[in-house]
Amino acid sequence: MAYPFRGVSLWRDAVIGAGVGGVNTVAVNGMYGEGKDVVKGAMVGAMFYGGGYVLGAVSFSVIKSKLPARIGGEPLNPYVPALFQNFGKPNPCPEFISGVIRDSFGGIPSVLPMPFADEGNSP
């Protein structure tokens, strides 16, 4: 549910990650009767979502510098004015690949078990 709100800024992603990590920890504690620390779950979520934002931004700049800016255009015709040239469409690959990297790194806490069980409170 937090996916549409991600990718705007580092701090916003960290806050969303903290919320998702805390809610996931509360849900796991309730469903399985575990005693995991909600604050630590929120901190791990913030770290991974924020780290995902940074990795996505870095990968976007690297990929954008390596791939062509536009794709599908025709070779430039010196006899046609620049306004009527077919330059193609902007290349969607850098944004897509960096988004996959960002979301994959940010989603790690959701699929891995969190080892923050408080042994005193677990049944």
Side-chain angles (χ1 to χ4, degrees):
M1 289 175 40
Y3 178 78
F5 305 108
R6 296 192 50 218
V8 175
S9 72
L10 172 64
W11 301 113
R12 185 172 176 175
D13 277 9
V15 168
I16 290 171
V20 169
V23 168
N24 281 347
T25 306
V26 168
V28 167
N29 286 346
M31 286 189 293
Y32 301 114
E34 298 178 356
K36 295 182 179 181
D37 188 7
V38 177
V39 174
K40 287 182 183 176
M43 288 176 23
V44 168
M47 180 186 70
F48 274 96
Y49 272 62
Y53 178 82
V54 171
L55 283 176
V58 169
S59 65
F60 179 77
S61 64
V62 169
I63 294 168
K64 190 172 182 172
S65 69
K66 302 294 182 194
L67 295 179
R70 302 183 81 72
I71 56 173
E74 298 173 1
L76 296 180
N77 186 348
Y79 302 109
V80 176
L83 187 61
F84 300 116
Q85 295 280 347
N86 180 8
F87 294 110
K89 298 186 289 186
N91 192 351
C93 293
E95 185 175 341
F96 176 75
I97 295 170
S98 65
V100 168
I101 292 170
R102 180 191 70 219
D103 296 337
S104 298
F105 191 79
I108 288 174
S110 298
V111 296
L112 294 179
M114 303 295 257
F116 304 123
D118 183 9
E119 299 300 329
N121 293 336
S122 61

